Amino acid sequence: MAQIVHKYTLLILLSVLIMHSLFTSVHSTKFQEKKPCKRFTLYFHDILFNGTNLANATAATAVNRTQLGNYKHGMLVVFDDPMTKQNNLLTPPVARAQGFYFYDTKDAYNAWFAYTLIFNSTEHKGTLNIMGADLMGEETRDLSVVGGTGDFFMTRGIATFRTDGQPNAFYFRVKMDIKLYECY
Amino acid sequence: MAQIVHKYTLLILLSVLIMHSLFTSVHSTKFQEKKPCKRFTLYFHDILFNGTNLANATAATAVNRTQLGNYKHGMLVVFDDPMTKQNNLLTPPVARAQGFYFYDTKDAYNAWFAYTLIFNSTEHKGTLNIMGADLMGEETRDLSVVGGTGDFFMTRGIATFRTDGQPNAFYFRVKMDIKLYECY
Amino acid sequence: MAQIVHKYTLLILLSVLIMHSLFTSVHSTKFQEKKPCKRFTLYFHDILFNGTNLANATAATAVNRTQLGNYKHGMLVVFDDPMTKQNNLLTPPVARAQGFYFYDTKDAYNAWFAYTLIFNSTEHKGTLNIMGADLMGEETRDLSVVGGTGDFFMTRGIATFRTDGQPNAFYFRVKMDIKLYECY
């Protein structure tokens, strides 16, 4: 008799465990820290307008620097920059980055970004909204993905910046590693 | 005897299921995708200062456009605009929208917004913080509600923009459909 | 025999309850409304550049005010301000606040902030991203903590501002009470 009870007990425990895993799987994507539910890497190309490169430029200085130090403090750039999968500017863009950045420090180069990644391809349709500090002295720096729309409905996450090159004063490239930890 | 065990088994399973539904109901509001927990539509009235309309104007150009293209690239407007329930500017405002937008594209009209909706009525007290791209070429475009305070404590959601009219160069109206998917 | 079954039943129910509390504890921090999972108070010191205080200044006006009213409408300040634990500017900063604010109202002093708190000490490493309206006429006003990185990975919450002093035109101090309601 006790053996029968035992069997049942095991069965019940097993079913409870299975139910648990089923129910909690709905939530799990949200709370598995450091394991993104979606992840991709894109390259941000900032081609600053210098007065003569109208055809290529995708960004321009809207506010000039202040006199606070020698690191462009206060200079504000508005951009509509292409995002590519490879770090080659000539590869077809898979998204646009629309927003602005400005330099904010008097004794070092630091910037602050707020922008929207706009996807409009067969692969992805929707937007991701990102803001945070670009501490340019650090090898990598994390900004916040604070919201999303369309395919990225209500997502949140981290965008990790890594400078990928600055061949001249009017072009720089940032590798952006987008890790989404809240997916719907 | 086996029947008694069976009865108990059923009882236990039932109680587990009930407990589960009780516990998970707390979370459910958060994960019901595409069904807002709160929703309302407001009209945003942007009345730009033109040098002579000081009494009526609620917004002004703080940064002039750059020379990148012919779509006001870089022009930045700071606003404290009224929000009304009907699309008539003369109806009493139910909220204020304080923030800024700027145009960011060289070959089309596109803007980027970041602002706070401020409610201070008997109906609602609190704020909603919103940011995202206003892709003016699209019939509707989604921005992110990234946070809230007061009655909108910690909410998140989507603000859908639809141009509702632009009778002249110094006034435009946007219908904003606010859908909150995370409510506390 | 029935007693044995009873014992097992109790054991099973107990184990289910324990499992439940273990599993749900992961979520609970997220939904306890109005009880922060992390909280601290910091003082924000804004020392505006006036042309001669280069050594001390940490902020500067990047965009001048517009002519819309007499409350600095449109004036935009970019800052890299120290944050201290006590309200004394001379105490060592425990974080930096990098970002901007601008005045946005024609008939009162109101500002709009977006910035990043940057922690780089033994106590905290990471950032908090904050945005919202600073309704200066209110004794306290709530802004949104919309994201975090590092030690503040994916956090959200409320930053409550309280003006702590403005001894002169080029310095003001705000007490910021940071309450995080979503912690990971």
Side-chain angles (χ1 to χ4, degrees):
Chain A
M1 192 63 243
Q3 276 172 310
I4 297 171
V5 179
H6 231 71
K7 259 198 211 155
Y8 274 103
T9 314
L10 277 169
L11 247 163
I12 292 162
L13 272 172
L14 214 74
S15 65
V16 167
L17 277 169
I18 288 164
M19 274 165 57
H20 234 124
S21 62
L22 280 172
F23 275 84
T24 48
S25 70
V26 184
H27 304 292
S28 62
T29 49
K30 188 159 172 54
F31 295 92
Q32 278 178 346
E33 194 179 331
K34 316 253 161 167
K35 195 164 171 292
C37 42
K38 212 174 271 185
R39 183 174 185 166
F40 47 84
T41 298
L42 295 174
Y43 292 87
F44 171 88
H45 304 268
D46 194 65
I47 310 150
L48 204 57
F49 184 52
N50 62 13
T52 62
N53 61 345
L54 184 61
N56 296 321
T58 55
T61 301
V63 178
N64 289 317
R65 52 160 293 189
T66 69
Q67 294 306 309
L68 187 62
N70 295 311
Y71 295 88
K72 302 188 187 171
H73 180 280
M75 174 178 156
L76 186 151
V77 171
V78 169
F79 58 79
D80 169 26
D81 285 344
M83 304 289 298
T84 61
K85 279 193 181 177
Q86 279 88 43
N87 78 346
N88 187 338
L89 173 58
L90 301 176
T91 53
V94 294
R96 306 294 300 184
Q98 295 187 353
F100 71 114
Y101 64 82
F102 55 82
Y103 297 92
D104 57 24
T105 310
K106 76 171 166 184
D107 49 12
Y109 281 115
N110 278 319
W112 195 90
F113 276 74
Y115 63 104
T116 302
L117 289 184
I118 300 157
F119 297 82
N120 190 11
S121 64
T122 47
E123 202 178 343
H124 292 302
K125 279 198 204 316
T127 70
L128 285 174
N129 290 308
I130 297 170
M131 68 181 256
D134 178 15
L135 304 166
M136 295 160 76
E138 309 286 322
E139 198 187 328
T140 64
R141 44 274 182 192
D142 287 346
L143 286 80
S144 291
V145 181
V146 296
T149 70
D151 289 353
F152 305 102
F153 179 75
M154 292 291 286
T155 51
R156 294 179 68 230
I158 305 283
T160 301
F161 280 27
R162 186 188 290 266
T163 305
D164 195 62
Q166 172 146 23
N168 63 62
F170 295 98
Y171 173 61
F172 69 82
R173 195 168 56 239
V174 175
K175 185 180 177 181
M176 295 185 180
D177 190 8
I178 312 288
K179 290 157 284 183
L180 304 175
Y181 296 94
E182 293 191 12
C183 301
Y184 275 72
Chain B
M1 190 65 244
Q3 277 171 310
I4 297 172
V5 179
H6 232 68
K7 258 197 213 159
Y8 274 104
T9 314
L10 278 169
L11 247 164
I12 292 162
L13 272 171
L14 214 74
S15 65
V16 167
L17 276 168
I18 289 164
M19 274 164 57
H20 234 124
S21 62
L22 279 173
F23 275 84
T24 48
S25 71
V26 184
H27 305 293
S28 61
T29 51
K30 189 159 171 54
F31 294 92
Q32 278 177 345
E33 194 179 330
K34 316 258 160 162
K35 196 164 171 292
C37 43
K38 212 174 270 184
R39 183 174 184 164
F40 47 84
T41 298
L42 295 173
Y43 291 86
F44 171 88
H45 304 270
D46 195 65
I47 310 149
L48 203 57
F49 183 52
N50 62 12
T52 62
N53 62 346
L54 183 60
N56 296 321
T58 54
T61 301
V63 177
N64 288 319
R65 52 160 295 190
T66 69
Q67 293 307 308
L68 186 63
N70 296 311
Y71 296 88
K72 303 188 186 172
H73 180 278
M75 174 178 157
L76 186 152
V77 171
V78 169
F79 58 80
D80 169 26
D81 284 345
M83 304 290 297
T84 61
K85 279 192 180 177
Q86 279 87 46
N87 77 346
N88 186 338
L89 174 58
L90 301 175
T91 52
V94 294
R96 307 293 300 183
Q98 296 187 352
F100 71 114
Y101 64 82
F102 55 82
Y103 297 91
D104 58 24
T105 310
K106 77 171 167 184
D107 49 13
Y109 282 114
N110 278 318
W112 196 90
F113 275 74
Y115 63 104
T116 303
L117 289 184
I118 300 157
F119 298 82
N120 190 13
S121 65
T122 47
E123 202 178 342
H124 291 302
K125 278 196 204 318
T127 70
L128 285 173
N129 291 308
I130 298 169
M131 68 181 256
D134 178 14
L135 304 166
M136 295 159 76
E138 309 286 322
E139 198 188 327
T140 63
R141 45 273 184 193
D142 288 345
L143 286 79
S144 291
V145 180
V146 296
T149 69
D151 289 353
F152 304 102
F153 178 75
M154 293 290 287
T155 50
R156 294 179 68 230
I158 304 283
T160 301
F161 280 27
R162 186 188 291 266
T163 305
D164 194 63
Q166 172 146 25
N168 63 64
F170 295 99
Y171 172 63
F172 69 83
R173 195 169 55 239
V174 175
K175 185 180 175 181
M176 296 185 180
D177 191 9
I178 313 288
K179 289 156 285 183
L180 304 175
Y181 296 94
E182 294 191 12
C183 301
Y184 275 73
Chain C
M1 191 63 244
Q3 277 170 309
I4 297 171
V5 179
H6 232 70
K7 259 198 214 158
Y8 273 105
T9 315
L10 278 168
L11 246 163
I12 291 161
L13 272 172
L14 215 76
S15 66
V16 167
L17 276 168
I18 289 166
M19 273 165 57
H20 234 124
S21 61
L22 280 172
F23 275 84
T24 48
S25 70
V26 185
H27 304 292
S28 63
T29 52
K30 187 154 173 55
F31 294 92
Q32 280 178 344
E33 193 179 331
K34 314 257 159 164
K35 197 164 169 290
C37 43
K38 212 176 269 186
R39 183 174 186 165
F40 46 84
T41 298
L42 295 174
Y43 291 87
F44 171 87
H45 304 269
D46 194 65
I47 310 150
L48 202 58
F49 184 51
N50 62 13
T52 62
N53 61 347
L54 183 61
N56 296 320
T58 54
T61 300
V63 178
N64 289 319
R65 51 160 295 190
T66 70
Q67 294 307 308
L68 187 62
N70 295 310
Y71 296 87
K72 302 187 186 171
H73 180 278
M75 173 178 158
L76 187 151
V77 171
V78 170
F79 58 79
D80 168 26
D81 284 345
M83 304 288 298
T84 61
K85 280 193 181 176
Q86 279 88 43
N87 77 347
N88 186 337
L89 174 58
L90 301 176
T91 52
V94 294
R96 307 294 300 184
Q98 296 187 352
F100 71 114
Y101 63 83
F102 54 82
Y103 296 91
D104 57 25
T105 310
K106 77 172 167 185
D107 49 12
Y109 282 114
N110 278 318
W112 196 89
F113 276 74
Y115 63 103
T116 302
L117 289 184
I118 300 156
F119 297 82
N120 190 11
S121 64
T122 47
E123 203 178 341
H124 291 301
K125 280 199 203 317
T127 70
L128 286 173
N129 290 308
I130 298 170
M131 69 180 256
D134 178 15
L135 304 166
M136 295 160 77
E138 309 286 322
E139 199 187 328
T140 63
R141 44 275 183 193
D142 287 347
L143 287 79
S144 291
V145 180
V146 296
T149 69
D151 289 354
F152 304 101
F153 178 75
M154 291 290 286
T155 51
R156 293 180 69 229
I158 305 283
T160 301
F161 280 27
R162 185 189 291 267
T163 304
D164 194 63
Q166 172 146 25
N168 63 63
F170 295 99
Y171 173 61
F172 69 82
R173 195 168 56 238
V174 175
K175 185 180 175 180
M176 296 185 180
D177 191 9
I178 312 288
K179 289 156 286 183
L180 304 175
Y181 297 93
E182 293 190 12
C183 301
Y184 274 72

